[in-house]
Amino acid sequence: MAKTSAALATSTSPAANNQFSHVAFKSFDWSYLGFGLCRLWIVQWKVLPLVAFAFKGIGGDFLFFLPAALACFFAATLIPAGNHPRARTLLFISSVVATFAGIALFTLGSITNASITLPLGLVFMGIGAALLQTLWGDKYASIDSKHADLYTVCSMLVASLLQTCMTIIDSTSAAMVLFFLVPLGSYILLLRGFSAGRWQTEVNESSESDIDHEPISEPAKSVHDSVNSTSNQLGLGRLCLSIAAFVFVYNLASSLLFGVSRVDTEEFTFDGVIRTVASVFVLVLLLALFLKRGNIKLLTLYRAAFLMLIGALVVWLVDPLATRFVAIVAAMGYKLFDVLFWCLLVRRAHEHRSSAWRVLGFGMVANMIAMGLALGARWFLSVLPFAIDIDSTVLCALLVVVLAAIAMLLLPESLVQRFTDRDSKTLKKKAAEGEAASLEDRVSEVAQSHGLTSREEEVLRFLAQGRTQAVIAEKLHISVGTAHSHIVHVYQKTGVHSQQELIDLVERA
């Protein structure tokens, strides 16, 4: 079943895509849903100490997300290119230690109202969470893009469903238990298939230079590698900037314009549940489309995400009272972009396995910095010694302009299409290689079951490829008469009377 699923994952035909979706679910590895627990924990880390934060006035978003971004930056820059099992193991241990040390300090601070343990706990938790999410990205990058897309949608769906439940929890003891169990479950599931610093599914991928270009001469190789490296860096840089800008715009709008600025706790909780349910609806729709088509169209996600968020802000400009509707539409658009940017990062890390840490690390840096700055903006404004009156209409218009600039300059459709085309070329190459390997296996099976000699097996292989007697003689460097004798022996031993019957026999093997 695993071989069948892997073979279908490299096919690009509609029929194969549809078949892949059913085979993939039959061989579904539930441990990959641990990424959903990781995402849930990062989103819902404030579920335990909301009351403590209200009294202490700590800028929790700064203290959680900015150290997290710093940890990802070090992971991206300090780990050299290549597959380094020791570095991966060290990151895993560091993440576990930081996470549970942070949880212990955080819980202690919430109970004792200690002034130092709460912020210190947040710093450690942010570092642990960032490294955990980066490790999940590395694990997803070790499998093919179709399976990674499927597990991404399913994991985010699990996270949104559980987030709905956690949003309405009003018991501190229950929140504390979940606060500990959610990251623990993510670590346990991450360990599945992890041995000696390597993922069980890890494969060596060819670089895109092997796919996109013909072999080049040695004198030009250094120039080619330099140009290729520069192009990859520019593509990654634009992707990271667009991630940071989009995440910042949405979270700043949520913090200052609609939803998060409400004081009424019950209304805030209700709006949070509605936005989470909207995210669930989007993810269920994506999952249904995946089941029908066998893949996810990244360009479709790109267009829908920008249109929905820009449309939501425009509606808010026209009717500032339609806050709840705007928040729902914006949440749906943001979730689409969330899936899009994660799929793009994982695909690039899969394509460039030697520099996967760089791709994932800088992608997480962009995400964490944007979330920390945007979500912490409201707290920052509240602690300033002077009041700043923000015109919400002007702010909303500026955010629309920023989104339009992202779509036209930083992350245009052409760049997303380039990522998609590159992935398609990789799939086609792997499909061709898989097809050739499959033919070799079938020919060997027929030769073994019918008692063919090694020379007759070579003749059988050429016949199965549709080659003529003259071509076989030329390829094997034998006379036409000798080739004819071998063909007759192959026909006699296999019990066929024509080349087409022989081809059918090999295909049925």
Side-chain angles (χ1 to χ4, degrees):
M1 180 64 68
K3 289 183 178 180
T4 304
S5 180
L8 288 171
T10 61
S11 179
T12 56
S13 66
N17 283 337
N18 187 42
Q19 186 181 0
F20 165 78
S21 63
H22 296 289
V23 173
F25 269 97
K26 288 183 180 179
S27 59
F28 194 88
D29 189 347
W30 297 96
S31 66
Y32 282 90
L33 297 184
F35 172 58
L37 297 179
C38 172
R39 294 299 299 267
L40 172 68
W41 185 54
I42 292 175
V43 172
Q44 289 295 101
W45 61 269
K46 290 186 288 188
V47 70
L48 173 63
L50 284 176
V51 176
F53 266 70
F55 285 103
K56 294 197 174 285
I58 297 174
D61 297 298
F62 283 120
L63 293 174
F64 184 90
F65 288 110
L66 296 187
L70 189 62
C72 290
F73 176 80
F74 284 124
T77 55
L78 296 183
I79 299 179
N83 190 357
H84 297 277
R86 290 185 179 180
R88 189 179 287 119
T89 303
L90 179 62
L91 283 182
F92 182 86
I93 295 174
S94 301
S95 178
V96 172
V97 172
T99 294
F100 291 104
I103 290 177
L105 290 170
F106 200 45
T107 305
L108 180 64
S110 298
I111 296 174
T112 63
N113 291 327
S115 59
I116 187 63
T117 52
L118 265 177
L120 192 60
L122 274 178
V123 169
F124 278 105
M125 284 195 329
I127 293 173
L131 296 180
L132 175 60
Q133 183 163 258
T134 306
L135 284 166
W136 271 113
D138 186 55
K139 184 172 184 177
Y140 271 47
S142 69
I143 59 179
D144 62 86
S145 60
K146 285 189 178 181
H147 281 92
D149 292 348
L150 172 63
Y151 291 138
T152 295
V153 174
C154 291
S155 293
M156 291 189 177
L157 178 58
V158 168
S160 294
L161 288 171
L162 292 177
Q163 183 181 349
T164 305
C165 300
M166 293 183 69
T167 303
I168 60 178
I169 290 178
D170 56 0
S171 170
T172 303
S173 58
M176 289 176 65
V177 172
L178 289 174
F179 201 62
F180 175 80
L181 292 180
V182 168
L184 178 63
S186 185
Y187 282 115
I188 291 174
L189 293 176
L190 181 65
L191 277 176
R192 180 180 171 88
F194 184 74
S195 176
R198 296 180 182 274
W199 307 117
Q200 185 178 359
T201 55
E202 191 151 23
V203 293
N204 293 322
E205 290 294 318
S206 300
S207 66
E208 90 266 7
S209 59
D210 298 328
I211 300 169
D212 294 339
H213 307 284
E214 296 296 326
I216 56 178
S217 61
E218 189 63 30
K221 188 176 186 301
S222 60
V223 177
H224 172 270
D225 290 344
S226 177
V227 173
N228 202 30
S229 176
T230 303
S231 176
N232 290 334
Q233 291 177 7
L234 289 175
L236 177 60
R238 291 171 67 182
L239 176 60
C240 291
L241 285 174
S242 62
I243 290 172
F246 194 98
V247 171
F248 180 80
V249 167
Y250 171 76
N251 286 285
L252 186 65
S254 296
S255 178
L256 298 181
L257 294 180
F258 43 80
V260 179
S261 60
R262 287 191 173 88
V263 179
D264 190 334
T265 304
E266 293 184 3
E267 187 176 5
F268 170 75
T269 302
F270 179 70
D271 285 342
V273 171
I274 289 180
R275 287 195 297 270
T276 307
V277 170
S279 299
V280 170
F281 172 77
V282 167
L283 293 168
V284 169
L285 181 60
L286 283 179
L287 187 58
L289 291 174
F290 186 95
L291 286 174
K292 182 178 180 181
R293 299 178 179 178
N295 59 13
I296 294 178
K297 301 292 186 181
L298 297 186
L299 267 180
T300 303
L301 293 184
Y302 169 88
R303 292 165 181 165
F306 277 96
L307 286 176
M308 293 181 78
L309 188 51
I310 292 177
L313 292 173
V314 170
V315 170
W316 195 91
L317 280 173
V318 176
D319 184 8
L321 297 179
T323 308
R324 185 163 291 165
F325 170 79
V326 169
I328 292 173
V329 175
M332 294 171 68
Y334 180 72
K335 183 54 62 177
L336 288 175
F337 186 82
D338 198 14
V339 175
L340 170 67
F341 101 73
W342 183 257
C343 289
L344 285 176
L345 280 179
V346 168
R347 289 188 185 195
R348 284 188 65 84
H350 176 78
E351 185 181 352
H352 306 280
R353 286 302 287 152
S354 62
S355 58
W357 292 112
R358 184 180 181 85
V359 173
L360 295 167
F362 283 120
M364 292 302 101
V365 168
N367 186 37
M368 296 293 180
I369 285 182
M371 291 186 70
L373 294 178
L375 293 176
R378 183 164 171 260
W379 170 83
F380 178 75
L381 293 175
S382 67
V383 298
L384 287 177
F386 51 87
I388 296 180
D389 185 18
I390 298 179
D391 189 328
S392 58
T393 303
V394 174
L395 177 61
C396 188
L398 286 176
L399 295 182
V400 172
V401 172
V402 170
L403 284 176
I406 298 172
M408 291 185 293
L409 301 176
L410 285 180
L411 192 65
E413 281 195 13
S414 58
L415 186 60
V416 178
Q417 183 66 57
R418 193 177 74 187
F419 292 150
T420 305
D421 290 343
R422 184 180 298 162
D423 186 66
S424 178
K425 290 178 181 179
T426 304
L427 291 177
K428 288 178 180 178
K429 181 182 178 182
K430 293 172 70 175
E433 292 173 348
E435 199 174 303
S438 179
L439 177 61
E440 290 289 332
D441 294 339
R442 291 197 296 267
V443 167
S444 297
E445 183 177 341
V446 171
Q448 184 177 1
S449 61
H450 291 84
L452 302 185
T453 65
S454 58
R455 177 62 81 179
E456 289 168 352
E457 182 177 347
E458 290 178 333
V459 172
L460 171 62
R461 184 176 299 108
F462 285 117
L463 290 172
Q465 294 173 352
R467 302 301 178 89
T468 63
Q469 179 176 282
V471 172
I472 293 174
E474 180 183 353
K475 293 287 185 181
L476 297 179
H477 304 290
I478 58 178
S479 65
V480 175
T482 303
H484 178 75
S485 298
H486 287 313
I487 293 173
V488 171
H489 293 154
V490 170
Y491 279 25
Q492 289 174 346
K493 291 183 178 181
T494 56
V496 300
H497 301 88
S498 67
Q499 187 173 6
Q500 184 58 52
E501 288 184 17
L502 187 64
I503 293 174
D504 293 339
L505 175 65
V506 172
E507 287 182 350
R508 290 195 301 267

